[in-house]
Amino acid sequence: MEFTGKTVDETIKAGLSELGLTEEEAVIEVLETPTKGLFGMLKGKAVVKIERKPTGAVKAKEFVQKVLDMMDITAKAELSEDGENPTITLIAESSSSVIGYRGEVLDALQTLAGAIANIGKKEYNKVFVDCENYRTRREETLISLAHKLEEKATEMRRDVILEPMSPFERRIIHTALAESKTVSTKSDGKEPNRYVVIVPFDKDEFARPYNAGRNNNDRRSNRRDFKSDRKGRGGKGGFKGGKGKPSGGSDKRKSTITFGTYLGNSLKD
């Protein structure tokens, strides 16, 4: 806003008072300064422009917008500071371009936004970056997955290994199963491939872990892993020579379901 007065100091003071700001909270620009005329009389008026300094969240939003523009992504960043943590919502023609595979692009933008918003601050304030309410939908998907694999781990009495996830997503799994009566959870591996392991209380110490994080191409391997090992596998149907004679004993247990597909991609969660 622009303010006018007899002197620059008086104008600044009046402008800050009207806006309810201190000098530290404001950006002040002097547009016109009165000049001294004959006998020291002031001629003209003082014109001052005063604006509130942009918050860290505003700077973060502007930075995210610049990154999107540099990436040639048609999207608009909008800021909301109503809640406990500011949220930058991305409105895009193609949501997949700003969400990415399982939210990887959103996570990267959120990390950058947080870094910009907290420059010069002693305490870190989190900034969320979201698109089409993806964060909430993803959380619901992961909670549902956690309980399905909780049942599977309890039934099989085996550790269940999930696919690598971000710290935010691993925290969702841990929280979802924190009160479980049959399993506990732990994180294993190294970033960026750190993953959650669901551990049943009533565990078969001789059973190998079940990898629920394999992709669709590993279904065959998952089925074989769930059954007991077979010896001398060959021919059709697992019979040696294809003549109907079992090659390593019979095992009538049904093959298991693979769970890698439950996580889905960023648009199907």
Side-chain angles (χ1 to χ4, degrees), residues 26-126:
V27 177
I28 302 171
E29 181 181 359
V30 178
L31 302 179
E32 294 183 26
T33 303
T35 59
K36 287 186 178 181
L38 189 63
F39 305 115
M41 298 292 291
L42 293 176
K43 297 175 60 177
K45 59 183 178 180
V47 180
V48 178
K49 183 179 180 181
I50 303 177
E51 294 181 345
R52 183 185 294 274
K53 283 184 179 179
T55 63
V58 171
K59 293 178 182 178
K61 186 216 54 165
E62 294 173 348
F63 178 82
V64 169
Q65 185 65 64
K66 290 179 180 178
V67 171
L68 294 172
D69 295 341
M70 291 174 62
M71 295 172 65
D72 290 328
I73 295 177
T74 305
K76 182 180 180 181
E78 295 186 348
L79 175 64
S80 172
E81 296 186 84
D82 296 336
E84 182 178 348
N85 296 103
T87 298
I88 300 171
T89 301
L90 307 181
I91 302 173
E93 291 183 355
S94 173
S95 60
S96 61
S97 63
V98 294
I99 294 175
Y101 181 67
R102 294 178 186 159
E104 289 178 342
V105 175
L106 276 183
D107 288 343
L109 290 172
Q110 182 167 289
T111 299
L112 292 172
I116 296 297
N118 287 278
I119 291 177
K121 293 185 177 180
K122 295 182 179 180
E123 295 184 4
Y124 186 89
N125 296 318
K126 194 170 183 63

Side-chain angles (χ1 to χ4, degrees), residues 155-173:
E155 174 190 341
M156 296 190 302
R157 299 176 61 210
R158 301 165 64 180
D159 288 355
V160 173
I161 300 174
L162 281 71
E163 66 182 353
M165 296 180 184
S166 66
F168 174 76
E169 294 190 334
R170 294 199 304 270
R171 195 175 302 116
I172 292 173
I173 300 293

Side-chain angles (χ1 to χ4, degrees), residues 92-262:
E93 291 183 355
S94 173
S95 60
S96 61
S97 63
V98 294
I99 294 175
Y101 181 67
R102 294 178 186 159
E104 289 178 342
V105 175
L106 276 183
D107 288 343
L109 290 172
Q110 182 167 289
T111 299
L112 292 172
I116 296 297
N118 287 278
I119 291 177
K121 293 185 177 180
K122 295 182 179 180
E123 295 184 4
Y124 186 89
N125 296 318
K126 194 170 183 63
V127 177
F128 290 102
V129 178
D130 204 356
C131 178
E132 294 186 354
N133 208 29
Y134 171 81
R135 300 278 183 203
T136 299
R137 293 187 291 112
R138 180 64 171 163
E139 181 175 1
E140 291 171 351
T141 297
L142 290 173
I143 291 174
S144 176
L145 171 68
H147 290 301
K148 287 174 182 176
L149 295 184
E150 173 190 19
E151 294 178 2
K152 184 57 62 177
T154 302
E155 174 190 341
M156 296 190 302
R157 299 176 61 210
R158 301 165 64 180
D159 288 355
V160 173
I161 300 174
L162 281 71
E163 66 182 353
M165 296 180 184
S166 66
F168 174 76
E169 294 190 334
R170 294 199 304 270
R171 195 175 302 116
I172 292 173
I173 300 293
H174 291 311
T175 302
L177 300 182
E179 303 298 326
S180 174
K181 305 297 183 183
T182 59
V183 301
S184 62
T185 61
K186 64 179 182 179
S187 290
D188 206 347
K190 296 182 179 180
E191 298 291 1
N193 296 313
R194 197 161 170 78
Y195 54 87
V196 174
V197 181
I198 299 176
V199 182
F201 294 146
D202 182 21
K203 177 180 174 180
D204 181 352
E205 297 296 336
F206 299 98
R208 292 179 299 172
Y210 174 72
N211 192 337
R214 289 172 176 160
N215 58 33
N216 293 342
N217 295 329
D218 290 330
R219 286 182 177 178
R220 186 176 181 182
S221 179
N222 276 338
R223 288 197 298 268
R224 188 181 303 123
D225 184 45
F226 182 61
K227 295 181 179 181
S228 61
D229 294 335
R230 295 181 177 179
K231 297 180 181 179
R233 189 178 180 89
K236 295 182 178 180
F239 295 108
K240 189 173 182 179
K243 295 184 180 181
K245 293 182 180 180
S247 59
S250 61
D251 190 341
K252 297 182 180 180
R253 285 181 292 178
K254 295 181 180 180
S255 61
T256 189
I257 301 172
T258 58
F259 288 88
T261 54
Y262 272 108

